Amino acid sequence: MCGIVGYVGPRDCSDVLIEALTKLEYRGYDSAGIAVFENGRIKVAKSKGRLTDLVEKMNKEGKPKGHAGIGHTRWATHGEPSDVNSHPHSGRRVTIVHNGIIENYKEIKQFLIDNDRTEFLSDTDTEVVAQLLDFYYDGDPVRCIRRVLHEIRGSFALGIVFADRPETVYAVRCESPLIVGQGKGEVFIASDVPAIIKYTKDYYLLDHKEIAVLRNGTVQFCSLHGRIIEKELLTADWDEDSAEKGGYPHFMIKEIHEQPTAVKTTITPRIENGLPDLSECGITPETLRGFKNIFIVACGTAMHAGMVGKYVIEKLARVSVTVDIASEFRYRDPLIDENDLVIIISQSGETADSKAVLSLVKQRNAKTLAVVNVKGSSIAREADMVIYTHAGPEIAVASTKAYMVQLSVMYLLAFEMAFAKGRISEEECRRLTLELVRVPDIIDQTIKRIENVCRYVSTKLITADSLLYIGRGLDYALSMEGSLKLKEISYIHSESYAAGELKHGTISLITEGMPVIAVATQNSLFEKTLSNIKEVKARGAMTIVICDQKADIDFDVANYIVRIPRISEMLMPMIATVPMQLLAYYTSVNKGNDVDKPRNLAKSVTVE
Ligand code: G6P
């Protein structure tokens, strides 16, 4: 979603803003712009398209020269991507950039029109806010922002400059993320840490409806009621390199290769004497014994991690787990009460629908547990308990390592819960935990062993218009993610299907040469899946089978076989994920797509 940056300091502001916006490209955008104080006047440059288009435009028309300003990458919501709809937007004396949605912008626009403010150039909700700020501006920027905060509704973060307050940047947030970076004699605002990590690791988290005033290399915070507030300075625990490609052609492949380390870093601190121990996350065996039902609610890839979690928790701990899509769950008046545990999984911790679910279930007194990657994010702060995944920054829009660490947390939770409830013995819990500890090395071996195979097999997919991913049990849960990954970045239509359900309709889609990727890693279901593979092969499908090294399968059933190491079937998803990621990655590369920034997608979906 949109990215916001801002800068006040001695460097060339335009350069800093462009550099910082480049680091937010992963969020997804379709236009970009900046506003900089040049000789005391606000100069705006903006353009539809990529940041390179903006830079090209500035090279032709003149780059704003100054030391304070704001910048933006826009992911269109209100109004098509165009030069005029790009941010910044201005009223007469106010210029702003905005991430999020202003829900009541139509009423505000009408109010402004009724008060003779009719100069709207764009279709955006943002311009309405710029005009409203201008309408109330009486020479006191903070008072004006506070006034506007009382009138606008929605989730948003704003970067604001006032024409008569040169060299000063104002910022405010309501729901949408915003941080304030503090360097030596310079200050920044940004939607996310990677934007500023090149300049400083120290940052403040702006809270709901807090206002930041950036001036003279320092920042002052005040509340909605105008009270000056002190905030804690945080330090990012990763460096610039982790937000760079480090020699890989794309972030996605770098992040696939980072998975062994990410899993190790996530699970190691949560294992004590060979047993899972989530006490540092506020979770004790007593807590885990106390729930009647579990709900896992999330979006996209995180929801798919929850699907695997359901199979594993139900199998081991014998508790009923319902997995739901956050955008559906929030509107279906779910049957939840204080006896239930709701697990929200989210890489960013800022996804609008997942956040809404968290508030909803808290109102119904359910216990809430967040599984989140971004420290200090809204979901992490608002849940009763939080298990941080330690994947480090995930920049590619298509999630890989974040999914893998979410899986590892699902396993830890299932093991500890099953043990706490007396469903597995201590010995069994130790055995499972030890196997999980060995998984990072096996992921590493798997990547090395099959990367070339997947690269080759992907060349067989690039001409497909549509394909199916099939599997049973955990393989089915997993194939949902494999299918999503592939469609996100290869733009090939793909559907995941429970293998046994195919013959109830979907098998009619099979035509000569249509690719079917079968995940067949569950020994107990192998024969059944094999029959389903034969069924589609007999109808002309080109079959690609992901199975373990010892699986008894021949090339008369599978056109291509991707063999992965065998571990216990319950943990196979953590290994079988790798070929699915690599197939998606290389198909996208072979099609010449923009792998890290697939069209129309955003990394963090902060609007509904
Ligand atoms: C977007 C991203 C997905 C992600 C989903 C949920 O759609 O493109 O990769 O899985 O949001 O995001 P979250 O940050 O809540 O995990």
Side-chain angles (χ1 to χ4, degrees):
M1 299 260 115
C2 308
I4 288 184
V5 296
Y7 178 71
V8 179
R11 300 177 203 253
D12 180 305
C13 182
S14 296
D15 289 351
V16 173
L17 295 176
I18 296 292
E19 174 76 27
L21 287 173
T22 308
K23 297 294 186 311
L24 294 182
E25 279 192 301
Y26 69 91
R27 296 169 68 85
Y29 72 106
D30 37 49
S31 53
I34 60 172
V36 172
F37 282 105
E38 183 177 278
N39 301 322
R41 296 172 70 102
I42 298 171
K43 189 167 170 189
V44 172
K46 57 187 188 174
S47 160
K48 180 185 163 188
R50 294 278 169 199
L51 279 165
T52 44
D53 299 311
L54 174 64
V55 171
E56 208 173 294
K57 189 170 180 182
M58 291 195 302
N59 286 342
K60 276 193 208 132
E61 296 174 8
K63 179 180 83 171
K65 286 197 174 50
H67 299 283
I70 50 180
H72 190 261
T73 44
R74 171 175 188 252
W75 192 83
T77 53
H78 295 71
E80 57 167 14
S82 67
D83 283 3
V84 78
N85 285 336
S86 309
H87 299 209
H89 288 283
S90 303
R92 289 168 202 160
R93 296 157 299 171
V94 188
T95 296
I96 71 171
V97 290
H98 163 218
N99 172 16
I101 283 187
I102 306 300
E103 285 165 6
N104 57 339
Y105 82 101
K106 282 193 182 146
E107 293 130 66
I108 294 171
K109 192 168 183 176
Q110 195 53 52
F111 165 80
L112 289 165
I113 291 169
D114 293 345
N115 284 279
D116 301 326
R117 295 282 180 137
T118 51
E119 313 139 30
F120 295 97
L121 303 175
S122 75
D123 307 319
T124 65
D125 50 347
T126 307
E127 190 185 6
V128 173
V129 178
Q131 295 279 12
L132 188 66
L133 281 161
D134 190 70
F135 182 78
Y136 285 129
Y137 188 47
D138 60 359
D140 183 337
V142 171
R143 188 161 60 212
C144 165
I145 294 169
R146 286 170 49 212
R147 170 97 201 237
V148 165
L149 279 178
H150 284 292
E151 304 215 354
I152 57 177
R153 276 199 323 271
S155 60
F156 52 84
L158 301 171
I160 311 167
V161 285
F162 290 82
D164 62 354
R165 287 288 182 282
E167 311 311 310
T168 309
V169 168
Y170 298 82
V172 65
R173 74 166 279 212
C174 173
E175 310 284 351
S176 298
L178 201 66
I179 59 158
V180 178
Q182 177 67 71
K184 288 197 178 73
E186 55 186 353
V187 268
F188 306 80
I189 57 168
S191 300
D192 203 355
V193 178
I196 57 159
I197 201 82
K198 177 173 178 184
Y199 307 102
T200 179
K201 285 185 176 186
D202 297 330
Y203 67 97
Y204 300 94
L205 277 174
L206 206 56
D207 268 315
H208 195 58
K209 295 201 172 171
E210 284 176 353
I211 300 164
V213 183
L214 288 74
R215 190 189 302 131
N216 287 334
T218 59
V219 56
Q220 194 173 54
F221 299 99
C222 78
S223 71
L224 179 61
H225 310 292
R227 193 169 41 83
I228 301 293
I229 41 183
E230 294 297 323
K231 295 190 68 73
E232 186 191 353
L233 189 63
L234 307 170
T235 303
D237 55 5
W238 38 273
D239 54 22
E240 202 190 336
D241 286 350
S242 40
E244 298 290 343
K245 287 191 198 134
Y248 288 94
H250 301 102
F251 280 110
M252 183 174 173
I253 190 70
K254 174 185 177 238
E255 289 161 5
I256 290 172
H257 280 264
E258 284 171 347
Q259 293 182 118
T261 310
V263 173
K264 227 177 258 177
T265 319
T266 299
I267 62 173
T268 309
R270 281 76 184 258
I271 296 173
E272 277 295 317
N273 299 322
L275 288 169
D277 179 354
L278 296 166
S279 51
E280 58 126 9
C281 315
I283 303 166
T284 60
E286 293 72 54
T287 336
L288 294 174
R289 275 194 284 269
F291 304 111
K292 207 167 76 203
N293 299 303
I294 297 178
F295 293 82
I296 303 181
V297 192
C299 302
T301 292
M303 192 274 289
H304 292 154
M307 288 301 297
V308 173
K310 169 188 168 69
Y311 279 77
V312 180
I313 296 171
E314 285 191 343
K315 188 162 181 73
L316 288 175
R318 311 307 294 158
V319 191
S320 157
V321 182
T322 306
V323 182
D324 227 311
I325 298 166
S327 55
E328 287 294 314
F329 188 87
R330 63 184 289 194
Y331 294 115
R332 73 171 167 76
D333 195 7
L335 293 167
I336 296 266
D337 63 30
E338 66 281 4
N339 299 311
D340 299 323
L341 170 68
V342 180
I343 304 175
I344 309 277
I345 309 178
S346 175
Q347 188 283 127
S348 62
E350 299 292 349
T351 303
D353 286 316
S354 304
K355 269 167 66 178
V357 168
L358 183 56
S359 326
L360 172 83
V361 300
K362 284 187 82 169
Q363 279 162 24
R364 299 192 181 187
N365 300 319
K367 272 268 172 272
T368 54
L369 164 63
V371 178
V372 167
N373 196 42
V374 176
K375 302 226 172 69
S377 54
S378 307
I379 292 174
R381 283 189 287 166
E382 282 156 35
D384 300 320
M385 301 167 277
V386 52
I387 306 179
Y388 279 115
T389 51
H390 297 307
E394 189 178 64
I395 308 287
V397 167
S399 178
T400 54
K401 62 176 178 170
Y403 174 72
M404 189 68 97
V405 293
Q406 286 161 356
L407 292 187
S408 70
V409 167
M410 291 295 105
Y411 284 105
L412 277 179
L413 202 57
F415 298 167
E416 181 157 1
M417 196 180 293
F419 183 38
K421 287 171 113 19
R423 301 288 187 187
I424 55 170
S425 64
E426 182 176 327
E427 194 192 348
E428 177 64 352
C429 194
R430 279 187 194 285
R431 191 191 65 72
L432 288 166
T433 309
L434 181 63
E435 203 168 0
L436 183 62
V437 169
R438 290 182 178 147
V439 160
D441 287 342
I442 303 171
I443 297 174
D444 194 35
Q445 290 161 22
T446 309
I447 299 172
K448 289 186 180 121
R449 205 177 291 171
I450 65 164
E451 189 161 354
N452 279 334
V453 180
C454 291
R455 192 198 311 248
Y456 171 70
V457 174
S458 73
T459 61
K460 308 294 168 194
L461 298 177
I462 49 178
T463 52
D465 294 326
S466 181
L467 62 83
L468 288 180
Y469 246 106
I470 61 169
R472 283 171 180 260
L474 275 171
D475 287 333
Y476 171 48
L478 199 61
S479 68
M480 292 179 187
E481 175 57 10
S483 173
L484 176 68
K485 210 69 348 187
L486 196 95
K487 71 182 127 191
E488 278 180 316
I489 57 172
S490 75
Y491 311 145
I492 297 171
H493 169 256
S494 165
E495 218 178 307
S496 64
Y497 232 77
E501 182 67 9
L502 272 182
K503 56 174 96 54
H504 297 292
T506 308
I507 200 162
S508 69
L509 292 175
I510 304 289
T511 50
E512 194 60 37
M514 179 178 182
V516 174
I517 305 176
V519 191
T521 71
Q522 300 293 293
N523 286 339
S524 52
L525 296 166
F526 185 76
E527 289 304 324
K528 308 243 176 249
T529 309
L530 197 62
S531 305
N532 302 127
I533 301 171
K534 286 178 184 164
E535 283 161 11
V536 292
K537 179 87 166 94
R539 285 158 180 83
M542 178 182 77
T543 52
I544 297 162
V545 180
I546 298 172
C547 57
D548 72 50
Q549 278 150 345
K550 296 185 187 146
D552 184 13
I553 190 161
D554 278 322
F555 286 103
D556 55 340
V557 182
N559 293 80
Y560 304 97
I561 304 177
V562 183
R563 289 195 186 269
I564 54 177
R566 176 186 280 192
I567 55 173
S568 75
E569 67 174 34
M570 182 173 297
L571 282 156
M572 279 307 280
M574 294 193 69
I575 310 301
T577 296
V578 173
M580 298 192 315
Q581 295 169 338
L582 290 170
L583 281 175
Y585 172 73
Y586 282 110
T587 307
S588 179
V589 170
N590 286 328
K591 288 189 77 171
N593 295 349
D594 191 346
V595 178
D596 286 334
K597 297 184 284 286
R599 70 181 175 215
N600 304 340
L601 292 183
K603 180 76 185 158
S604 172
V605 180
T606 50
V607 296
E608 197 178 339

